[in-house]
């Protein structure tokens, strides 16, 4: 059958059932917006979590009798280990300053010399920021000569590890539910628009139209509804993102892929829903 | 060409026709009459295979109700011209597209569609209303659209269910003249009707049905 | 009781009727005839106020098309009995409920509904099919349901658009007998028809329309 | 008009358009589930944020020469201040232990006596956990005789304050969008089911039914669709909550009011949507 005829028929379906088409496109758009918002949310959450993890650091206390040169030497050695990112060397003097901040008193108030050891604050590279890998790095650092003790927030790290798993689970679950809800709502909407035209399908069959002849214009229509719905959803998403950026959170992340995914999603849903719905009325002889 | 062998038909478990046997040969013109609810429309449904008999067999052209596949039914229907009692026009298409639809399903394209559609619309006196939608037509005009759609395909048989029910005498006679004309060109006609005036004025073979039984 | 004063009617900007004037008095029986597409159904639509004239005035009982309020239209329609050319049965209700609906809108309740509905269904010979849905009926049976619904309300006038279009001669005569019976009881009848047999057998005043003009 | 007749008509509408009813109820249920999930999420977020805030504490350093009795005395005085919750007194000895944990060295390694001051960790009551109030409390404590210095994480607090505002904004905005999406989808669905029956409304009018006579059964139907959809949504929400509690997070909070709100919401949406949709076909004479 002629491609252009099918396309024309599908497009005509738009004007033939204008109200139904408007309703469907709006519904498609809002359901897709839902999915889009969820994708934006996930993306930003991923960034945030990355931000938190990257703040994990090891505190390496060196023997207190080491001088600055020796300390910096050890810093260099640590730097060579796999997974180690930036290192911040804290000399005895800096440690004294830190003490004052922490306890509201200078060490020199009670003592003549500074008893505090020099230390290094070691950041961990991306991809190495899990409990087990950090444990290994910590052990390697501990074996370096001149290192007294390696301290890091084991508990915090394991809490983060556990929480992130948990947050991923929650977000994944919520996302799945959202997507399922959106799909069901879309499918239902398109089913209803075809339900409203079941008589027409019946008549077409009586006039000798084959199933595929009847189905194709509906598929084109579903495809178009998915497409225009997705465009509308993209528009609304774009607006929402810009409003959020202006008013609330200027660093909101977004990727062009999300817009593309929405269009793809819309097309697939439009096609599948209309295909399934039409088939329902084609089954009977 | 059309053969009913001891056909019984149920709808929703209700027996409508019982033990019907008759035959219509190529190029024949026959009426099917009987009181309201006798089963005339049901006989036609059996012919366009909207209904499959519970017992017996219906043979249309080379298709048998016992063996026809779902996929073949549209092929069969395209070769029939059916005027439905309730018209069954597509409410979302105008007159032209309604008639053209029957051609397009058969794969006819472009200019050929236009030529054929305009010719049959002229034949039923509706050329000037080709852009109207069914709701914008009177009952008789809708009936004439249904007639145009039935004959546009050059079917081998026209099944006409009360084609003059909504037409005045003059228009009825015109329709009958059209049917007789295509009948003379070799198309068989099977027409359900109540109209005694027509039966008398255009005498042809009459198949009588009463309460689901053939009335010889 | 029904008065048309120089009525012109357009639908969607298209002129359908021009300068129609006539009057039907209480208890009268009149036919309205004319070729297909002449405007018969349109005249009836003007009476049940589904259409308001562009020029002129239609007066039905105490309502004038020039002054009637939207709220009053249902009140008027309940006092008319309309047999629509395309039946207009509610497809999602069975025969009984279709007829009962016309009673219920007027506020009739309970046992009275049942009694009246069963009586009119018996009158059109459909008592045994009261639980069927419209799709489960033949064309003629649907027509008889439409007739039953139109007369169940004891209207002061019955508007009948081709009430015998789908009925055989015998059934048509029965319907005409019913209409004449209720006419004798004081109900006016205005019936659009093409059927010359009926016009001859049940002679009454004839209003002729042609191309939207009254044909005296 | 008879109430029972209206009710019966409305219920009959269910079986008259069984497919449309099924579709609508499913759609209503899923859209309401969406709203329900959002309410559960908000509730839990409120709890979490409360949890974080309640961890804010002031560190009150006392003069280092105070003995235990004097320290506990000051603790009592602090306790009397408005907004102060629990107080944890840290004696000089405990401070020494803390020092060892923090710096990996005992104070006694270098000194004979303990130079660290006693201190109190002061928690703030719920409702007083904002930047400004805590600043006031901190000032009051500072005026108590024997108190050397009051330290708390001013920055963290103001960050939390800002973030919470931000999170509330995001959540509120997202919630509003979700609710709007759900409402539009529901409204569209119900509109479509009535669109599929526009011919019937037309016929009813021709037979002399008044607008309210036609509208009422549709309202009952919409009401019922809202009701059954809400019940289904409540069921799905209940299931989801229990699955989440079993598999992911046993402390997931939920209130009976959320279930009630869903039912209320369903009823209102059902009524309003069907009322608006029917009116569309009643407008014309
Ligand atoms: N879908 C259906 N379900 C149940 N019964 C049906 C159905 N369709 C038709 N019938 C019944 O079958 C019988 C024959 O119907 P049919 O339409 O063939 O009559 P008909 O001879 O065409 O009558 P008419 O002249 O009134 O059109 C009728 O009694 C009708 O009630
Ligand atoms: N909704 C509409 N829009 C435009 N034109 C219409 C509409 N309804 C009817 N018409 C036109 O008005 C004219 C009169 O129609 P009407 O239905 O009154 O004819 P009628 O006399 O009842 O014919 P029939 O005997 O065929 O039923 C016809 O030419 C028809 O095409
Ligand atoms: Mg029939
Ligand atoms: Mg008419």
């Amino acid at each position: 059958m002629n491609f252009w005829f099918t396309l024309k028929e599908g497009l005509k379906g738009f004007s033939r059932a204008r109200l139904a088409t408007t309703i469907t496109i709006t519904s498609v758009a809002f359901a897709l917006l839902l999915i889009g918002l969820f994708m934006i949310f996930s993306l930003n959450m991923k960034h945030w979590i990355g931000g938190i993890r990257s703040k994990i650091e090891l505190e390496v206390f060196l023997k207190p009798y080491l001088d600055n040169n020796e300390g910096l030497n050890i810093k260099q050695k640590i730097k060579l280990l796999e997974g180690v990112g930036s290192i911040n060397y804290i000399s005895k003097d800096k440690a004294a300053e830190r003490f004052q901040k922490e306890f509201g008193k200078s060490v020199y108030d009670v003592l003549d010399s500074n008893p505090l050891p020099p230390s290094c604050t070691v950041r961990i590279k991306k991809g190495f920021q899990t409990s087990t890998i950090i444990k290994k790095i910590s052990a390697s650092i501990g074996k370096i000569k001149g290192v007294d003790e390696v301290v890091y927030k084991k508990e915090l790290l394991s809490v983060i590890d556990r929480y992130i798993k948990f947050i991923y689970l929650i977000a994944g679950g919520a996302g799945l539910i959202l997507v399922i809800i959106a799909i069901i709502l879309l499918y239902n909407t398109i089913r209803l628009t075809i339900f409203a035209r079941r008589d027409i399908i019946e008549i077409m069959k009586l006039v000798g139209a084959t199933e595929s002849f009847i189905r194709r214009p509906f598929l084109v229509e579903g495809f178009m509804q998915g497409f225009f719905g997705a465009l509308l959803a993209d528009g609304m998403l774009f607006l929402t993102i810009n409003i959020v950026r202006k008013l609330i959170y200027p660093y909101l992340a977004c990727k062009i892929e999300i817009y593309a995914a929405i269009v793809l999603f819309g097309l697939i849903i439009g096609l599948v829903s209309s295909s399934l719905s039409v088939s329902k009325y084609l089954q009977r002889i | 060409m059309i053969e009913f062998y001891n056909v019984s038909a149920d709808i929703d478990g209700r027996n409508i026709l019982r033990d019907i046997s008759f035959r219509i040969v190529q190029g024949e013109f026959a009426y099917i009459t009987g009181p309201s609810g006798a089963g005339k429309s049901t006989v036609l449904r059996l012919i366009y295979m909207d209904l499959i008999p519970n017992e017996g067999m219906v043979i249309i052209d080379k298709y048998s109700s016992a063996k026809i596949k779902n996929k073949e039914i549209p092929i069969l229907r395209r070769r029939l011209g059916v005027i439905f009692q309730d018209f069954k026009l597509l409410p979302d298409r105008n007159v032209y597209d309604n008639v053209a639809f029957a051609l397009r399903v058969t794969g006819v394209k472009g200019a050929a569609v236009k030529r054929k559609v305009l010719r049959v619309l002229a034949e039923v006196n509706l050329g000037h209303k080709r852009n109207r939608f069914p709701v914008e037509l009177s009952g008789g005009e809708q009936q004439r659209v249904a007639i145009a759609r039935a004959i546009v395909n050059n079917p081998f048989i026209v099944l006409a269910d009360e084609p003059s029910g909504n037409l005045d005498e003059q228009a009825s006679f015109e329709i009958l003249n059209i049917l007789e004309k295509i009948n003379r060109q070799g198309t068989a006609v099977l027409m359900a009707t109540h109209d005694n005036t027509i039966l008398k004025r255009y005498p042809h073979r009459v198949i009588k049905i009463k309460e689901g039984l053939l009335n010889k």
Side-chain angles (χ1 to χ4, degrees), chain A:
Chain A
M1 192 181 43
N2 194 309
F3 169 75
W4 288 113
F5 174 66
T6 307
L7 190 71
K8 244 170 45 192
E9 280 290 293
L11 283 176
K12 272 188 199 162
F14 268 39
S15 58
R16 277 189 196 124
R18 211 169 300 146
L19 179 72
T21 303
T22 320
I23 293 177
T24 316
I25 290 183
T26 338
S27 286
V28 170
F30 278 96
L32 289 176
L33 176 62
L34 195 65
I35 294 176
L37 287 176
F38 173 70
M39 287 193 288
I40 295 280
F41 177 73
S42 310
L43 181 67
N44 281 281
M45 212 175 62
K46 218 177 124 195
H47 286 193
W48 290 330
I49 288 173
I52 292 173
R53 272 186 191 261
S54 71
K55 283 194 184 108
I56 289 165
E57 40 187 39
L58 307 186
E59 290 215 72
V60 180
F61 293 104
L62 309 182
K63 301 283 184 201
Y65 48 76
L66 296 179
D67 65 21
N68 252 5
N69 264 356
E70 290 168 312
L72 289 170
N73 232 333
I74 293 175
K75 179 185 166 187
Q76 290 311 322
K77 283 187 189 155
I78 295 175
K79 189 134 211 175
L80 295 175
L81 294 174
E82 204 194 344
V84 169
S86 67
I87 304 185
N88 184 21
Y89 176 67
I90 296 164
S91 65
K92 283 174 89 81
D93 296 344
K94 270 198 203 141
E97 282 171 33
R98 225 178 109 199
F99 177 86
Q100 187 163 15
K101 262 192 197 153
E102 190 90 12
F103 289 90
K105 283 221 126 328
S106 161
V107 263
Y108 298 106
D109 280 6
V110 259
L111 287 169
D112 298 328
S113 77
N114 177 355
L116 298 172
S119 63
C120 292
T121 311
V122 176
R123 295 228 164 166
I124 303 300
K125 273 188 190 157
K126 243 186 177 173
F128 294 89
Q129 293 158 341
T130 64
S131 267
T132 44
I133 299 182
I134 289 180
K135 204 170 180 179
K136 270 187 208 156
I137 295 176
S138 152
S140 312
I141 295 176
K143 278 177 205 144
I144 295 172
K145 214 180 147 241
V147 170
D148 196 0
E149 200 177 7
V150 181
V151 169
Y152 65 97
K153 298 188 176 156
K154 287 198 187 85
E155 276 178 33
L156 177 71
L157 192 63
S158 72
V159 163
I160 289 181
D161 264 18
R162 220 180 49 224
Y163 264 90
I164 283 176
K165 216 182 254 168
F166 167 66
I167 289 175
Y168 274 139
L169 257 174
I170 288 271
L176 199 71
I177 292 178
L178 282 193
V179 170
I180 290 176
I181 290 178
I183 290 179
I184 289 179
L185 288 173
L186 279 198
Y187 173 56
N188 276 354
T189 309
I190 292 184
R191 242 167 107 194
L192 274 180
T193 64
I194 290 176
F195 167 74
R197 283 179 289 173
R198 61 199 177 286
D199 301 342
I200 291 177
I201 294 178
E202 195 56 35
I203 294 174
M204 288 179 171
K205 277 161 66 184
L206 288 180
V207 176
T210 55
E211 300 203 351
S212 62
F213 189 93
I214 299 173
R215 187 186 278 116
R216 253 173 285 174
F218 281 101
L219 290 194
V220 173
E221 208 184 301
F223 188 86
M224 293 287 163
Q225 281 167 344
F227 181 68
F228 288 119
L231 285 192
L232 195 57
D234 276 350
M236 290 192 292
L237 194 64
F238 183 78
L239 260 179
T240 313
I241 287 172
N242 278 303
I243 290 174
V244 170
R245 278 186 184 155
K246 274 245 170 70
L247 298 184
I248 314 182
Y249 181 60
Y251 309 111
L252 193 74
C254 179
K255 278 183 180 171
I256 187 80
E257 283 92 335
I258 289 181
Y259 292 107
I262 287 178
V263 173
L264 192 71
F265 217 77
L267 294 181
I268 292 174
I269 295 235
L271 268 181
V272 172
S273 308
S274 47
S275 169
L276 289 179
S277 313
V278 177
S279 296
K280 217 185 130 74
Y281 298 102
L282 290 174
Q283 274 161 17
R284 292 167 301 152
I285 45 153

Side-chain angles (χ1 to χ4, degrees), chain B residues 12 14 16 34-38 40-41 85-86 129 132 136 138-142 144 162 164-169 171 194-197 200:
Chain B
D12 291 340
R14 224 176 258 134
I16 311 288
S36 166
K40 302 180 292 296
S41 300
Q85 193 169 7
D86 52 357
K129 298 202 168 165
R132 300 272 191 103
E136 300 174 350
S138 78
E141 286 162 351
Q142 290 181 44
R144 282 181 279 155
E162 313 273 356
S164 60
N166 286 280
L167 299 177
D168 54 295
E169 204 160 69
H194 302 118
D195 195 333
N196 280 328
T197 324
K200 266 172 229 148

